[in-house]
Amino acid sequence: MKKVIAIMLILACVFSLCSCSKINQLFSGNQEQTFSYPIESMPESLDPQIASSPAELIVIENCMEGLVRLNEKGEVIPAVAKSWDISADGLQYTFHLNENAVWDVDTEDEDFKIKNFNKIITANDFVFAVSRAVLQQTQAPDFQSVSLIKNAGKINASGTSDTSSLGIKAVNASTLRITLESANSDFLKSLTSAVFMPCSEQFFEYCSGRYGRQSAYFLSNGGFRLSMWGDTNLIMRKSESYALENAAKADSVTLYRDENAFESFKNNNYDALAIADDCIDEALADTSLQVQTYDDTVWAFGVNCESPLGSSQALRQALMCGFDNETLTAPEWAAKAGGLVPNICTAGGTEYRKAAGAQQLPEYSADTSASLYRTFSEKYLAESDADEIPVFRFLCTDAFEQCAKRMVQSWQMNFGTGFEVKISVLSLDELSEKVQSGAYDGVIMPLSADTTDALVFLNRFAAENDFRYQSGAYNRVLASDEGETQKCITAESLLVKDGALYPLFCSNSYYVQRQGISGIYFYAFGGKVNFLNAERVK
């Protein structure tokens, strides 16, 4: 009896000193490789064709797999496609799918209701996914990536549901052919975007509008599967059915919703973290952390081209040449931008910014800006039958308040006191909401690359965008037969010439992970983090 009591006391001590996972390791002899990472908000939808938030993209990056994926060096490697051929003119890609690629689902489970479900991933799963993304009604946030495919732009613009002319076809169950509008050297990298992830038509129809909204209506095919999706945290566990080259080393990853992530990270609650701009200096001062950085963001002054004031090209151009860029001071974590396209982007297989050089920007001219403003104000007052010009609503974050004030001072000196501006200093989330609603005239906001492809970055302004910019001339440039780099140079220049955007500063994205951890890869695109190779090392 005394022996039993002694054993129970020992076990009680063990349970009081160890976490559950450590107890499992003690008795099983296995040391689980588990990791934790903070997210600002929980996913709203894990439908890859409409996912856009960092949390959504992290889950898709780890639980799903497209035709290809990127390794830790940013190089394209096989995924569902085991090999591919590219035509001599660079317009046609033929992918040969791996027969071992399957959906992570137990068709024998009595809770699984789809009869005769095909677990093997086929070419049709990619055709269905991309066709969904092209439809106007889907409103795919990353439509600019699929717009590289032949006739995607025409189908989307027309609003039709007929995608038979789209340049993606299933040659057979294991062969997929994609035809582009024009050759693009970075197309393979674009295929790693969430919007290109496969979608089972059988499963999509079974979900009846709930696809990606709950764990029961999310189907994975990657190294992890979604194990739990709660209100404040989400767990991804290693997939037992994955049989390709990119199997997960980690056993599980838990994503926690945390609005004070940096403080929690300092208290050793997380293994890695994306650093907010206002915490960069403090994070970099900790030499014990491993740091990854990407020059992927440009902070630009942009105008709402559909607002009562911003719809005037004369006013937009008056604003662009009405301040001296050299007098604007960047935050410590930013530098002067060389152009609208972020430095991380490439075109024609080379670094775009180096190939294109610094972008030509409007020279500051008090006389020119005043003349353009008079043209605008006379027309506005005559056509609107108003007595005065409405207040110009100018949004910025705290880091750029002084910059905004300097710009406003210059405009009022050039235009006269009749030009009234209200500066609203907002958090980045608040600013984004205002911009998306169209309740602004001007804004200083970040433009971050979603891929390394400069052409894809510029394509975002050819479709629905935050600045309500529409230009037939701009769209024709992107669809022209010019070389990739020259096409980008011309399009980038048009955005500034039309008074839609003016690049101010460039900044980096910073990510840190703790010592003793390897294999967590951060990408510069949309906050994606890859945990497949994550492991703790001695």
Side-chain angles (χ1 to χ4, degrees):
M1 184 67 177
K2 290 182 179 179
K3 275 187 179 180
V4 172
I5 294 173
I7 291 172
M8 291 177 67
L9 287 172
I10 291 172
L11 287 175
C13 290
V14 169
F15 275 83
S16 66
L17 295 174
C18 299
S19 68
C20 291
S21 62
K22 288 181 179 177
I23 294 168
N24 290 337
Q25 293 167 20
L26 179 66
F27 287 100
S28 68
N30 297 322
Q31 184 173 359
E32 276 210 341
Q33 294 276 354
T34 62
F35 298 86
S36 60
Y37 188 83
I39 51 178
E40 288 187 1
S41 60
M42 294 298 289
E44 292 185 9
S45 172
L46 295 178
D47 177 345
Q49 278 66 60
I50 64 173
S52 61
S53 76
E56 292 165 355
L57 296 177
I58 288 172
V59 176
I60 291 167
E61 168 69 19
N62 290 276
C63 292
M64 298 203 71
E65 192 151 70
L67 293 163
V68 295
R69 68 180 307 122
L70 299 177
N71 64 13
E72 68 276 14
K73 298 178 182 178
E75 301 165 336
V76 174
I77 59 174
V80 174
K82 60 185 177 182
S83 63
W84 53 87
D85 308 305
I86 306 174
S87 63
D89 59 8
L91 293 176
Q92 197 169 86
Y93 290 68
T94 304
F95 297 91
H96 308 285
L97 308 191
N98 194 317
E99 59 277 8
N100 293 320
V102 297
W103 294 108
D104 188 354
V105 62
D106 182 4
T107 55
E108 301 300 318
D109 189 331
E110 61 182 17
D111 291 331
F112 191 72
K113 306 299 183 183
I114 306 176
K115 295 182 179 179
N116 302 316
F117 181 75
N118 183 14
K119 288 182 62 173
I120 305 298
I121 296 175
T122 69
N124 280 317
D125 293 327
F126 289 96
V127 174
F128 181 68
V130 175
S131 297
R132 283 188 62 230
V134 165
L135 295 178
Q136 190 181 95
Q137 66 196 50
T138 302
Q139 296 184 325
D142 193 18
F143 172 73
Q144 63 264 22
S145 290
V146 294
S147 68
L148 299 172
I149 297 177
K150 188 174 182 63
N151 292 329
K154 293 178 182 177
I155 293 170
N156 182 267
S158 70
T160 181
S161 59
D162 181 5
T163 59
S164 60
S165 64
L166 185 62
I168 181 169
K169 307 291 180 187
V171 178
N172 53 48
S174 60
T175 308
L176 179 73
R177 183 161 295 147
I178 299 178
T179 305
L180 305 185
E181 285 283 2
S182 58
N184 186 298
S185 58
D186 284 318
F187 179 63
L188 284 173
K189 286 187 176 180
S190 295
L191 288 175
T192 64
S193 301
V195 72
F196 282 109
M197 295 300 111
C199 180
S200 163
E201 187 171 4
Q202 274 182 293
F203 188 78
F204 182 82
E205 291 179 351
Y206 158 75
C207 292
S208 301
R210 293 167 292 186
Y211 180 56
R213 299 289 178 179
Q214 300 172 28
S215 56
Y217 300 110
F218 174 69
L219 197 58
S220 61
N221 71 314
F224 289 100
R225 60 179 174 81
L226 183 58
S227 173
M228 191 276 287
W229 185 356
D231 293 331
T232 59
N233 67 311
L234 179 153
I235 301 174
M236 302 181 294
R237 295 200 64 86
K238 184 175 182 177
S239 171
E240 299 301 327
S241 64
Y242 184 84
L244 303 184
E245 297 294 323
N246 306 303
K249 292 181 180 178
D251 292 294
S252 69
V253 178
T254 303
L255 305 179
Y256 293 94
R257 187 181 69 194
D258 191 340
E259 295 178 355
N260 299 301
F262 186 62
E263 292 302 315
S264 299
F265 180 78
K266 289 193 295 184
N267 291 328
N268 295 315
N269 289 347
Y270 302 119
D271 297 301
L273 181 70
I275 302 296
D277 292 333
D278 57 354
C279 301
I280 289 172
D281 291 339
E282 185 178 352
L284 295 183
D286 186 346
T287 56
S288 70
L289 299 176
Q290 304 173 67
V291 181
Q292 293 183 39
T293 181
Y294 301 95
D295 193 352
D296 62 348
T297 301
V298 168
W299 289 81
F301 168 63
V303 180
N304 180 353
C305 298
E306 288 185 352
S307 76
L309 298 180
S311 59
S312 167
Q313 186 182 57
L315 176 61
R316 298 199 304 266
Q317 292 173 334
L319 295 169
M320 298 296 169
C321 68
F323 65 92
D324 186 354
N325 189 23
E326 295 302 317
T327 67
L328 304 183
T329 304
E332 291 184 2
W333 42 264
K336 289 290 183 183
L340 282 171
V341 176
N343 294 333
I344 197 172
C345 291
T346 62
T350 61
E351 294 179 45
Y352 171 71
R353 197 77 271 155
K354 286 186 178 179
Q359 185 176 358
Q360 190 70 36
L361 299 175
E363 289 187 15
Y364 169 63
S365 171
D367 291 340
T368 302
S369 64
S371 175
L372 286 165
Y373 181 76
R374 283 194 300 272
T375 300
F376 151 73
S377 61
E378 289 170 2
K379 183 178 181 182
Y380 182 90
L381 294 173
E383 292 182 352
S384 65
D385 198 28
D387 296 327
E388 57 185 10
I389 303 297
V391 174
F392 186 86
R393 300 162 297 172
F394 193 1
L395 312 180
C396 66
T397 59
D398 180 66
F400 293 94
E401 183 179 8
Q402 294 306 313
C403 180
K405 287 181 177 179
R406 181 65 65 89
M407 294 167 71
V408 171
Q409 288 171 358
S410 183
W411 291 332
Q412 290 180 330
M413 286 177 59
N414 298 333
F415 305 161
T417 56
F419 184 69
E420 185 180 352
V421 181
K422 179 184 178 183
I423 297 176
S424 296
V425 181
L426 308 170
S427 69
L428 191 54
D429 286 340
E430 292 170 335
L431 183 145
S432 296
E433 288 180 10
K434 284 275 189 181
V435 168
Q436 288 172 15
S437 71
Y440 80 103
D441 296 298
V443 62
I444 297 177
M445 66 178 289
L447 304 175
S448 297
D450 294 323
T451 76
T452 56
D453 192 335
L455 197 57
V456 169
F457 177 84
L458 290 167
N459 258 312
R460 70 173 64 180
F461 307 109
E464 185 176 329
N465 58 83
D466 288 335
F467 309 100
R468 277 71 174 171
Y469 175 72
Q470 297 182 48
S471 168
Y474 184 82
N475 294 356
R476 286 191 293 274
V477 167
L478 294 178
S480 71
D481 293 328
E482 286 188 285
E484 285 179 52
T485 301
Q486 187 54 54
K487 194 185 302 191
C488 290
I489 291 172
T490 306
E492 190 180 39
S493 298
L494 261 180
L495 287 168
V496 174
K497 182 180 177 182
D498 286 346
L501 290 162
Y502 188 113
L504 298 173
F505 307 107
C506 59
S507 66
N508 292 2
S509 292
Y510 289 89
Y511 302 89
V512 294
Q513 60 181 305
R514 301 193 182 283
Q515 296 291 348
I517 295 174
S518 69
I520 298 179
Y521 305 135
F522 303 92
Y523 299 112
F525 323 124
K528 291 194 300 184
V529 188
N530 186 301
F531 294 96
L532 292 174
N533 288 313
E535 57 183 341
R536 300 186 185 278
V537 294
K538 294 181 180 179

